[in-house]
């Protein structure tokens, strides 16, 4: 399969990239690692006139310590994230989820920000990003704005990034010392999650003091589970205490029905995975 | 057309390519490096795996223009100039780690990357590290054995 023809430009700076996006409007498509975009182009599900490759913009490659948060640039690959001691120490949940993305070859090229901007609800980084209260940094000709994860994901493959804008980084508050676990349910190990659950908890003396839960592929966007998060607080980290709470995680969600499972099956599986993830995160 | 300069298996090539040209098609059709094969054409199977700047990638999921200024190693660039096979290649032959052989170039490239990162893998490390490479003959058992044997051989080399 060969993509339709397009022009290719590889700007060296964010300013150049924004000028190109402004010039080409909805004909332009941003590419970082290209691991989601190239299959789309090959299958001709999309045929942009211009592909703007941002992977050669040096300033976007970095993963930096911003004090209370870690900043992951739009050019940082999954492998860069896996190799980052900052992410491993302060954003353990994201580190665990990124290790579950696709396969090594894809992780060597694909980027966390690219996946967030692609906004596939079955992708593995949306749920942990949401659960960790990520802030998305978006730049356009008007300047820079920061959008919380809760407002970033709009719908299936749709985000708050507007035409002519670029997601330049994701900034995620440190969760140093929090327990965490990403539980991914798949049929084939390198495939998309049928359901995934991202959990991070702060445990004090055997009791859950704070809990954050994100869901993969349980709707048209990644989701948070605020009712379950609230109910977990104050509970001992034991199966008896949290089992019934976690089983409710699918309530009110509208997951897809497909060959891998019907919506009610996914709601059930989400409950099972949440129990496993909470117990693993809490070290029980 | 875009002008690219890519070092492939130690030789630098300057070429004109259409931006939409996939790296695998550039390697096979413009450079004649048919050792790298197209398997599924959907970025699932890993048969087209090559190394880009030393790390494994699926060359059906990379544009040739993205490789501009970078270095590619294919299955044809692994063996020494005298034809001496690498430990991974030797192990695949010794362990009969292929049936039809179609997945083999990708398997060997991924196994080489895996062992460069983790020279002493467990069986589980190997199975997980090879998750992006499919063998339609389902000959995984001997493939895993070969990678573990190659790791042992490498350990022997350093001893």
């Amino acid at each position: 399969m060969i993509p339709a023809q397009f022009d290719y430009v590889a700007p060296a700076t964010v300013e150049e990239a924004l000028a190109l996006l402004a010039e080409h409007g909805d004909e332009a498509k941003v590419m970082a690692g290209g691991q989601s975009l190239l299959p789309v182009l090959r299958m001709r599900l999309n045929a942009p006139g211009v592909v703007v490759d941002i992977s050669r913009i040096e300033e976007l490659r970095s993963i930096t310590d911003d004090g209370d948060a870690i900043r992951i640039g739009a050019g940082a690959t999954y492998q860069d994230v896996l190799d980052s001691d900052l992410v491993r120490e302060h954003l353990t949940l994201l580190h665990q989820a990124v290790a579950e993305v696709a396969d090594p070859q894809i992780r060597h090229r694909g980027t966390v920000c690219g996946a967030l901007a692609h906004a596939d609800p079955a992708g593995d980084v949306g749920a942990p990003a949401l659960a960790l209260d990520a802030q998305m940094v978006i730049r356009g000709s008007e300047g820079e704005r920061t959008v919380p994860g809760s407002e970033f994901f709009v719908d299936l493959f749709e985000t708050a990034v507007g035409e002519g804008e670029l997601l330049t980084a994701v900034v995620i508050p440190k969760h140093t010392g929090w327990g965490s676990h990403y539980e991914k349910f798949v049929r084939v190990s390198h495939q998309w999650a049928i359901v995934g659950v991202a959990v991070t908890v702060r445990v004090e003396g055997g009791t859950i003091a704070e809990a954050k839960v994100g869901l993969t592929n349980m709707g048209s966007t990644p989701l948070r589970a605020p009712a379950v998060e609230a109910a977990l607080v104050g509970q001992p980290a034991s199966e008896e205490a949290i089992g019934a709470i976690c089983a409710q995680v699918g309530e009110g969600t509208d997951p897809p029905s497909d060959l891998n499972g019907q919506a009610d099956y996914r709601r059930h599986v989400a409950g099972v995975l949440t129990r496993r993830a909470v117990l693993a995160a809490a070290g029980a | 057309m875009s002008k690219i300069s890519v070092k492939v298996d130690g030789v630098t090539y300057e070429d004109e390519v259409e931006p939409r040209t996939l790296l695998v098609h550039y390697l096979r059709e413009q450079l004649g490096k048919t050792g790298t094969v197209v398997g599924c054409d959907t970025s699932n199977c890993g048969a087209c795996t090559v190394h880009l700047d030393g790390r494994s990638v699926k060359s059906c999921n990379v544009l040739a223009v993205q490789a501009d200024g970078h270095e590619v190693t294919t299955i044809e660039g692994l063996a020494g100039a005298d034809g001496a096979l690498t430990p991974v290649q030797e192990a695949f032959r010794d362990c009969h780690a292929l049936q039809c052989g179609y997945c083999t170039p990708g398997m060997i490239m991924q196994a080489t990357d895996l062992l460069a990162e983790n020279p002493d893998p467990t069986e589980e490390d190997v199975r997980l590290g090879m998750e992006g490479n499919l063998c339609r003959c389902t000959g995984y058992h001997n493939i895993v054995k070969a990678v573990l044997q190659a790791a042992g051989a490498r350990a022997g080399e350093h001893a």
Side-chain angles (χ1 to χ4, degrees):
Chain A
M1 290 180 286
I2 297 170
Q5 282 183 322
F6 54 80
D7 289 328
Y8 169 87
V9 279
T13 64
V14 172
E15 288 69 28
E16 277 177 55
L18 292 175
L20 286 161
L21 294 179
E23 181 187 342
H24 296 288
D26 64 1
E27 272 296 292
K29 192 78 194 156
V30 174
M31 176 171 73
Q35 299 302 286
S36 296
L37 181 62
L38 287 177
V40 165
L41 298 187
R42 290 207 314 270
M43 290 184 277
R44 302 207 177 190
L45 298 173
N46 197 338
V50 182
V51 169
V52 180
D53 179 357
I54 61 166
S55 69
R56 294 177 195 266
I57 302 177
E58 208 49 52
E59 64 182 290
L60 295 182
R61 286 299 300 253
S62 60
I63 299 173
T64 51
D65 190 333
D66 272 15
D68 294 336
I70 303 297
R71 172 181 292 258
I72 299 172
T77 64
Y78 293 119
Q79 190 63 44
D80 292 336
V81 167
L82 288 175
D83 291 341
S84 163
D85 291 335
L86 285 174
V87 176
R88 187 193 299 271
E89 183 181 350
H90 302 295
L91 305 174
T92 311
L93 177 62
L94 183 70
H95 196 271
Q96 291 166 335
V98 166
E100 298 293 324
V101 171
D103 53 53
Q105 292 98 315
I106 302 293
R107 294 196 293 268
H108 292 154
R109 297 287 301 170
T111 63
V112 167
C113 286
L116 293 172
H118 183 53
D120 183 338
D124 293 304
V125 296
L130 259 189
L132 292 166
D133 298 313
Q135 300 276 328
M136 284 52 162
V137 182
I138 299 170
R139 270 172 76 176
S141 50
E142 310 281 289
E144 185 175 290
R145 63 197 176 102
T146 300
V147 176
S150 55
E151 294 165 26
F152 180 78
F153 297 106
V154 176
D155 204 345
L156 193 70
F157 303 122
E158 194 184 334
T159 69
V161 179
E163 195 177 301
E165 289 188 319
L166 186 65
L167 174 66
T168 56
V170 57
V171 177
I172 309 180
K174 287 180 182 173
H175 285 65
T176 319
W178 288 54
S180 59
H181 187 77
Y182 184 62
E183 186 78 12
K184 179 178 180 178
F185 184 64
V186 279
R187 197 171 55 81
V188 178
S189 76
H190 70 298
Q191 287 290 357
W192 285 269
I194 296 170
V195 178
V197 179
V199 172
T200 193
V201 294
R202 194 168 58 76
V203 178
E204 276 177 0
T207 300
I208 297 172
E210 283 183 85
K212 300 178 178 185
V213 179
L215 304 176
T216 300
N217 212 12
M218 286 298 289
S220 61
T221 66
L223 299 175
R224 277 289 281 264
V228 169
E229 293 176 3
L232 285 171
V233 172
Q235 298 293 334
S238 71
E239 181 150 1
E240 301 71 44
I242 60 112
I245 294 169
C246 294
Q248 308 298 314
V249 79
E251 271 185 18
T253 63
D254 186 20
S257 288
D258 57 31
L259 285 175
N260 284 316
Q262 299 299 305
D264 58 349
Y265 171 76
R266 279 193 163 86
R267 279 189 285 264
H268 170 75
V269 169
V272 175
L273 301 183
T274 302
R275 176 177 41 115
R276 289 182 193 163
V278 170
L279 290 173
Chain B
M1 300 292 269
S2 296
K3 202 166 166 43
I4 60 169
S5 169
V6 192
K7 193 170 182 181
V8 182
D9 296 337
V11 178
T12 301
Y13 298 87
E14 311 266 344
D15 274 307
E16 297 250 313
V17 296
E18 273 192 278
R20 62 174 171 169
T21 306
L22 303 175
L23 179 59
V24 69
H25 290 144
Y26 172 68
L27 294 172
R28 287 176 58 83
E29 288 160 27
Q30 253 171 284
L31 302 188
K33 291 195 171 275
T34 51
T36 303
V37 296
V38 179
C40 67
D41 210 6
T42 59
S43 317
N44 267 289
C45 80
C48 65
T49 299
V50 300
H51 294 178
L52 184 57
D53 293 338
R55 295 314 306 265
S56 60
V57 301
K58 294 181 173 179
S59 63
C60 78
N61 213 25
V62 177
L63 298 170
V65 286
Q66 290 176 287
D68 179 30
H70 295 279
E71 190 168 343
V72 175
T73 306
T74 77
I75 186 71
E76 299 179 41
L78 285 187
D82 58 354
L85 299 181
T86 65
V88 176
Q89 290 174 313
E90 286 278 10
F92 267 66
R93 189 174 64 182
D94 290 350
C95 297
H96 192 64
L98 54 130
Q99 290 180 40
C100 84
Y102 202 83
C103 70
T104 309
M107 288 286 179
I108 288 178
M109 295 312 288
Q110 181 53 27
T112 302
D113 179 281
L114 169 84
L115 293 179
E117 281 301 293
N118 179 4
D120 187 23
T122 63
E123 182 181 333
E124 198 191 347
D125 292 338
V126 172
R127 288 188 184 272
L128 266 178
M130 304 293 287
E131 68 185 329
N133 291 73
L134 305 182
C135 168
R136 286 312 306 266
C137 309
T138 67
Y140 294 104
H141 198 67
N142 282 0
I143 292 169
V144 172
K145 233 161 74 180
V147 181
L148 289 168
Q149 178 176 311
R154 290 163 59 97
E157 267 177 14
H158 298 301

